Amino acid sequence: MPKIPVLEIFGPTIQGEGSVIGKKTMFVRTSGCDYRCSWCDSSFTWDGSAKEDIQLLEPEDIISTLDELAPNKYQHVTISGGNPALIKNIGPLVKALQERNIKTALETQGSKFQDWMTEIDDLTISPKPPSSGMKPNLPILDDVINKCNLESLSLKVVIFDDEDYNFAKMIHNRYPEVPFYLQVGNPYLDDTVDNHTERLLEKYEQLIDKVMNDTLNDIYVLPQLHTLLWSNKKGV
């Protein structure tokens, strides 16, 4: 059985982002990413700083760890990264979880497609806005979205500034049939920042005010719930 490069497995916790915000879930974080976002809060998945923590695990190993952490206490697993869509052999893990009636979630930037992504129950594609320093390839994004299961798909853009907001409007207009989420970004990755939660709530309110005074209508406006609760703490 092909193995999956895993950096950490943790939970139960709540999903802090996207269409399943607040959902009780476990996390399986894979290593590797094809992007280098300037504000990435999980850069350890690709910058080499956690390379000694990578474990090559088979699906049954991952599920055994999940069961040890939360025996009979989970029904949902989030596959995170990095960018898990780089990994071809996650399909057997998704299938093994489905056989136990455990649902799965995935977030990816839409730069790569794998067949197993059509089996994900809660699939979020999050094109990266200008503030990330990355430039999405829109024809590739079109292709990925067209291959996905629209019943499980949603789009999310993280907002740090006005340029990001305009990018989000472009994405929403490009795919108006896909449920769309705006989420305020977290620029405070330094744990020495005071009043972290209050600062994020202020930015969240500013984003809400911006949307309320715009013609961007059929959307959801979210905070990053986990950062409000736990700041930049890992493993929650």
Side-chain angles (χ1 to χ4, degrees):
M1 179 71 69
K3 296 184 177 182
I4 299 168
V6 176
L7 269 171
E8 57 180 353
I9 300 173
F10 61 91
T13 183
I14 54 99
Q15 174 57 256
E17 305 187 3
S19 64
V20 286
I21 190 169
K23 179 80 172 180
K24 183 180 180 182
T25 190
M26 302 291 287
F27 273 82
V28 176
R29 188 183 299 280
T30 61
S31 67
C33 192
D34 49 332
Y35 276 22
R36 301 290 184 266
C37 295
S38 61
W39 36 250
C40 179
D41 61 1
S42 304
S43 58
F44 64 92
T45 62
W46 49 261
D47 66 8
S49 62
K51 61 182 179 181
E52 301 301 326
D53 297 328
I54 298 172
Q55 300 181 72
L56 296 176
L57 301 178
E58 295 184 358
E60 54 265 35
D61 299 325
I62 294 172
I63 292 174
S64 292
T65 301
L66 291 167
D67 288 343
E68 289 172 7
L69 288 171
N72 300 314
K73 295 178 182 177
Y74 73 99
Q75 206 68 40
H76 189 272
V77 172
T78 298
I79 302 168
S80 184
N83 183 10
L86 296 176
I87 303 170
K88 293 182 179 181
N89 54 320
I90 289 180
L93 172 62
V94 174
K95 182 177 180 181
L97 290 168
Q98 286 178 334
E99 289 172 352
R100 295 181 49 177
N101 295 317
I102 295 170
K103 292 188 176 182
T104 54
L106 171 76
E107 180 172 322
T108 178
Q109 56 261 45
S111 59
K112 301 286 182 181
F113 176 80
Q114 304 290 348
D115 289 339
W116 55 262
M117 288 166 57
T118 63
E119 302 301 319
I120 295 291
D121 297 287
D122 302 304
L123 174 60
T124 299
I125 292 181
S126 183
K128 302 309 177 189
S131 64
S132 70
M134 300 289 103
K135 186 175 181 180
N137 184 315
L138 293 180
I140 289 178
L141 181 62
D142 291 342
D143 183 61
V144 170
I145 288 176
N146 287 334
K147 289 177 178 176
C148 289
N149 180 357
L150 289 180
E151 293 182 358
S152 63
L153 178 65
S154 63
L155 282 163
K156 186 194 77 180
V157 175
V158 179
I159 306 297
F160 285 84
D161 54 34
D162 288 345
E163 195 174 2
D164 290 353
Y165 186 80
N166 291 331
F167 171 83
K169 292 177 71 171
M170 180 274 292
I171 292 293
H172 183 42
N173 289 332
R174 192 177 184 93
Y175 314 104
E177 74 283 2
V178 182
F180 192 77
Y181 295 78
L182 293 183
Q183 184 169 289
V184 66
N186 172 24
Y188 309 119
L189 300 182
D190 185 347
D191 288 332
T192 64
V193 172
D194 293 329
N195 303 316
H196 187 262
T197 296
E198 289 80 2
R199 289 174 182 237
L200 288 175
L201 284 172
E202 183 179 354
K203 286 190 171 294
Y204 180 41
E205 185 175 11
Q206 289 170 357
L207 180 58
I208 289 174
D209 288 343
K210 193 174 188 65
V211 172
M212 295 308 106
N213 289 290
D214 198 358
T215 56
L216 196 58
N217 295 328
D218 190 17
I219 63 166
Y220 302 83
V221 186
L222 301 179
Q224 281 188 318
L225 186 57
H226 57 292
T227 62
L228 296 180
L229 292 169
W230 299 302
S231 186
N232 299 310
K233 185 178 180 181
K234 288 176 57 181
V236 291

